[in-house]
Amino acid sequence: MNPYAGTLKRLQDAFYSGRTRPLKFRINQLRSLSRFLKENRNLLLDTLAQDLNKVTQLDSAFIRKEPYGVALIIAPWNYPLNLLLVPLVGAIAAGNCVVLKPSEVSKSMEQVIAEVLPRYLDQNCFATVLGGPREATLLLKNKFDYIFFTGSPTVGRIVMAAASQHLTPITLELGGKNPCYVDDNCDPQTVANRVAWFRFFNAGQTCVAPDYVLCSPETREKLLPALQRAVTQFYGKDPQCSPDLARIISPKHFLRLRGLLGSGRVALGGQSDEQERYIAPTVLVDVKETDPVMQEEIFGPILPILTVGGVEEAIAFIRKREKPLALFAFSNDSKVVNKVLEQTSSGTFGGNDGFMFMTIISMPFGGVGHSGMGKYHGKFTFDTFSHGRGCLLRSPHLEFINKFRYPPYAPGRQGLLVWLLKHKLSLPCSIL
C-alpha cells in the first residue's frame, strides 16, 4: 500500500467537507502563517544561514506581458472554426507566431483554413499543417513555445506527454461526462426544454453539453413526457426531416454512437439512419453505471437518465468520478443549486440553465483535472498566450543607497534592511 494514501485521503475528506471554503477559515490560516514567520524569525534566519549562508530579498517593479514565441493550436472537428480562431485571436493579440492544426475530420473547413485563411495573414508568421494523427505526431516532435489543444482526454495525454519532452507550457481544453442534477422541486417542462436544447444542440456534439441526468424516480417519470414534448416542439414529429437537427460528423462516430443505444432501455427516440449519419434525439432509462454509455463521453444526441435518492446521493455520485468540464443543477430551491455548486468541482457550472456561460466573454472557460487545464475566452485568451515577465529597473547611479544591502551585516544594518524590506514590499506593482 502506498504510504501516503492515508494522508491524501485525510486531506481529500477535509476538502470535500467544505472546511477550507469559508473566508474566516482562510483568513485564520493566513494569520497563523504570519505568526509562524514572526514568532520564529530568528530560528528561520539561523536555519537559512546554516543551509545557504545567506538571506536574499525579492524586489519587483513591474510585470511585462510578453509573447511566448511560436505557438501551436490544435483544434477539434465539432466547432472547427470557432475552436481554432478564438485561441488564434488571443495568440495574435499577445504577439505570437502560430502554427494551426485544424481537424482532418471536418474536411471542408480544413480545406478553407488551408487555402483561404493564408491570404489574410502574414505567411512568415502563421502557418497551417494538414493531416491526421501521423502528421500531428510528427508536428508534436518539434519544440514549440506554447501548445493549445482542444480535444479528448485520451489525445490530451499524448499532447501533454509530447510537450513534456521540451517542458513546453500547455493549455488543455478537454471533455468528460458532464452531470446534470434535476431536483424534485422544479417545473419538469422548463427543465426539459433547457436540457433538451443543450443536449441535442449540434446533435450533442458539444463538449459542455449535459452528458447524463441524475434525478429521483418520481422526477424521471415527469421528465420523460416533458422531454418528448420539447423534442417534438423543437424538431417536429419526425426529427429526421428537421432542418435544425445536425448530423453525426463521420461514419466512425455514427457507428460508435449507435452501439451506445444498447445501454439501458430506449424511452424516447432511438431511430438511426447510417446513410444520413442520423441518430434521433434519444433518452435512455434503466441505465447502469457499468453500461457502455456511462464509460465514455457520449458526444451525440443521447441522454441517459440515472435515478438517485436525492441531492446528497447525486453529489456523492458526481464526486466518485473525474472532474467534469461542466456541471448543471436544476431546482426551484436556490439552496439545492448552491449545495451542488459548493460540494463539487468542475471546469464550469450552470444553475438552472445549460452552457450559456460560453457566451459571456468576460468569464474564463476551461477544465479542471481530467477535463483540462488553463483557461481562455476574452482577455483570458490573451493572458494564456502571454508570459508575465517580472522586471526590475533600477538607476545605475546613487550607489551609496545600496551600500546597506552589502555584507558584512552588522546588527544595526540588519534592522534597517528589515525596515526597508517591509516598506518596499508594500509598494504597488505596474503591469505593462
Side-chain angles (χ1 to χ4, degrees):
M1 182 177 178
N2 190 302
Y4 310 110
T7 300
L8 183 60
K9 178 67 165 55
R10 173 169 55 85
L11 268 61
Q12 288 173 335
D13 289 344
F15 176 77
Y16 281 117
S17 73
R19 183 182 180 87
T20 63
R21 300 295 181 92
L23 179 61
K24 184 177 180 181
F25 173 87
R26 305 183 199 193
I27 292 174
N28 287 341
Q29 295 305 296
L30 289 172
R31 285 176 176 166
S32 295
L33 183 59
S34 177
R35 288 201 313 273
F36 162 76
L37 293 172
K38 290 177 181 178
E39 295 173 5
N40 297 280
R41 176 178 176 275
N42 292 332
L43 172 63
L44 295 171
L45 289 175
D46 290 344
T47 305
L48 282 170
Q50 292 174 17
D51 288 343
L52 300 170
N53 199 31
K54 63 179 180 180
V55 178
T56 59
Q57 163 183 341
L58 178 64
D59 195 354
S60 177
F62 62 90
I63 299 171
R64 179 185 175 92
K65 291 294 184 74
E66 294 186 342
Y68 278 101
V70 178
L72 170 63
I73 298 175
I74 304 176
W77 51 261
N78 58 324
Y79 293 91
L81 186 62
N82 178 278
L83 296 180
L84 188 75
L85 296 192
V86 171
L88 177 60
V89 168
I92 292 175
N96 296 277
C97 291
V98 183
V99 174
L100 298 171
K101 172 59 181 72
S103 172
E104 77 285 0
V105 178
S106 48
K107 297 184 182 300
S108 299
M109 184 57 70
E110 181 191 40
Q111 185 176 357
V112 170
I113 294 298
E115 297 179 2
V116 182
L117 182 60
R119 303 174 196 169
Y120 295 84
L121 298 176
D122 186 332
Q123 296 187 41
N124 291 318
C125 300
F126 304 96
T128 301
V129 173
L130 307 182
R134 177 181 177 276
E135 288 76 13
T137 300
L138 292 174
L139 186 61
L140 287 167
K141 289 183 181 296
N142 296 278
K143 184 182 186 301
F144 289 92
D145 299 298
Y146 201 93
I147 296 177
F148 189 104
F149 170 79
T150 304
S152 70
T154 300
V155 181
R157 290 187 180 93
I158 297 172
V159 175
M160 190 172 185
S164 71
Q165 298 303 306
H166 303 288
L167 296 179
T168 300
I170 187 170
T171 290
L172 296 176
E173 295 297 338
L174 310 178
K177 297 193 69 62
N178 305 319
C180 177
Y181 173 67
V182 180
D183 188 39
D184 288 345
N185 183 3
C186 70
D187 175 52
Q189 194 59 60
T190 298
V191 174
N193 292 343
R194 298 178 186 183
V195 170
W197 188 63
F198 287 107
R199 171 69 270 188
F200 303 130
F201 184 86
N202 197 32
Q205 298 167 119
T206 304
C207 61
V208 286
D211 207 76
Y212 62 93
V213 167
L214 297 171
C215 66
S216 69
E218 295 78 15
T219 294
R220 185 189 75 175
E221 295 312 305
K222 297 175 183 177
L223 273 180
L224 288 174
L227 286 167
Q228 177 67 77
R229 288 190 291 269
V231 169
T232 302
Q233 178 185 346
F234 297 164
Y235 307 112
K237 293 183 178 179
D238 183 4
Q240 189 170 359
C241 298
S242 171
D244 300 315
L245 186 64
R247 295 301 187 258
I248 307 306
I249 185 65
S250 69
K252 175 184 176 182
H253 284 279
F254 171 85
L255 293 175
R256 178 185 64 83
L257 288 167
R258 191 169 65 178
L260 297 181
L261 294 175
S263 297
R265 174 174 60 87
V266 173
L268 169 64
Q271 301 85 2
S272 63
D273 185 330
E274 185 171 359
Q275 184 175 357
E276 281 196 26
R277 302 195 309 278
Y278 164 78
I279 291 182
T282 298
V283 177
L284 301 176
V285 296
D286 300 334
V287 174
K288 300 176 182 177
E289 295 182 44
T290 55
D291 285 341
V293 77
M294 291 302 295
Q295 303 309 307
E296 61 180 85
E297 183 178 6
I298 296 171
F299 230 63
I302 303 171
L303 181 65
I305 298 181
L306 288 80
T307 57
V308 292
V311 65
E312 297 286 355
E313 189 176 333
I315 290 172
F317 186 95
I318 293 167
R319 281 177 19 184
K320 281 195 303 182
R321 285 153 180 80
E322 299 284 3
K323 295 180 180 180
L325 181 58
L327 195 156
F328 308 95
F330 288 83
S331 177
N332 289 338
D333 186 347
S334 61
K335 292 181 180 178
V336 172
V337 174
N338 287 327
K339 187 181 187 71
V340 178
L341 173 61
E342 291 170 1
Q343 297 188 15
T344 60
S345 177
S346 62
T348 47
F349 181 86
N352 288 312
D353 206 3
F355 47 78
M356 289 304 294
F357 46 72
M358 297 287 288
T359 66
I360 305 173
I361 62 171
S362 60
M363 183 180 292
F365 172 72
V368 58
H370 189 262
S371 58
M373 61 181 70
K375 55 185 177 291
Y376 74 123
H377 284 188
K379 184 179 178 294
F380 296 97
T381 315
F382 170 83
D383 292 337
T384 287
F385 285 98
S386 300
H387 164 59
R389 186 181 184 187
C391 304
L392 170 65
L393 300 181
R394 176 163 290 180
S395 170
H397 309 296
L398 303 175
E399 176 63 8
F400 70 91
I401 295 177
N402 292 329
K403 67 181 182 180
F404 295 102
R405 68 184 184 183
Y406 300 145
Y409 299 116
R413 186 174 292 185
Q414 286 184 4
L416 181 59
L417 279 172
V418 170
W419 183 87
L420 287 171
L421 184 60
K422 286 182 178 178
H423 285 75
K424 293 189 77 170
L425 288 178
S426 65
L427 294 176
C429 177
S430 301
I431 300 179
L432 300 180

